[in-house]
Amino acid sequence: MATDIPASNRSPTGFDLSPPDANQRRQLVAALTPEEREVRLEHGTEAPFCGTLLDNKKPGTYGCRLCGLPLFRAGEKFESGTGWPSFTAPFDESHLKYITDKSYGMERTEIVCARCGGHQGHVFPDGPPPTGQRYCINSISLEFVPDGEPFPDKLGRREQGK
């Protein structure tokens, strides 16, 4: 992990939460497909039961597809029956930001990546114990990293985390 990251920009698990600079962001966005742009940048939603990670049961970590920040551990994933990957808790609470979403005539809590601001999905208070939370996430917003493999270093920060 780089040692020049100010402590105020580090998460408790050791990741740099500083946003990508303008050039890095342009490069990351340029690599997105039109569907990824719609979900990640325009707060869209992929169709239920079609995401590539819905049935993934391998041990590992799910990270932000745009910037690579780890967001959820595979051990927190559960079958919610909703058609989207669901998790009971984040990898590190500081890796997510919570936004009140009043679209479509309802009030929900949107979750975005704390580093790049990319839309992930929503969190609902109807999950299983012990948290009672259901983080309902678009597969297209996530990148799976199997246990034992390094997290992607999309911003060149050489982070390993804890």
Side-chain angles (χ1 to χ4, degrees):
M1 176 172 43
T3 57
D4 58 346
I5 303 167
S8 62
N9 290 341
R10 267 186 234 204
S11 70
T13 50
F15 288 86
D16 182 358
L17 298 179
S18 303
D21 65 33
N23 187 48
Q24 289 171 323
R25 185 152 183 88
R26 271 192 299 278
Q27 290 173 348
L28 294 171
V29 169
L32 297 176
T33 67
E35 184 182 12
E36 289 170 335
R37 279 189 197 102
E38 167 64 26
V39 172
R40 305 281 305 144
L41 305 177
E42 304 299 325
H43 308 268
T45 301
E46 67 189 353
F49 299 103
C50 74
T52 60
L53 297 173
L54 180 61
D55 296 321
N56 184 28
K57 308 244 188 276
K58 298 174 188 169
T61 304
Y62 296 84
C64 175
R65 183 171 283 179
L66 190 60
C67 74
L69 186 66
L71 301 177
F72 300 97
R73 288 185 171 90
E76 299 294 336
K77 190 169 185 257
F78 71 99
E79 177 52 55
S80 66
T82 62
W84 291 277
S86 296
F87 303 86
T88 58
F91 178 93
D92 180 319
E93 190 70 38
S94 69
H95 289 196
L96 297 174
K97 286 188 180 175
Y98 299 82
I99 301 166
T100 300
D101 175 1
K102 294 184 178 183
S103 63
Y104 302 108
M106 63 180 107
E107 187 169 317
R108 306 178 287 173
T109 301
E110 177 186 10
I111 51 176
V112 299
C113 175
R115 180 158 63 188
C116 70
H119 174 72
Q120 299 297 316
H122 292 83
V123 62
F124 302 95
D126 61 1
T131 66
Q133 300 296 302
R134 175 174 54 93
Y135 290 82
C136 187
I137 310 298
N138 293 289
S139 284
I140 203 166
S141 295
L142 298 171
E143 181 171 7
F144 180 73
V145 178
D147 276 354
E149 291 189 20
F151 294 121
D153 189 18
K154 297 180 178 195
L155 300 175
R157 296 181 179 175
R158 301 178 308 274
E159 316 180 281
Q160 295 304 309
K162 300 178 195 175

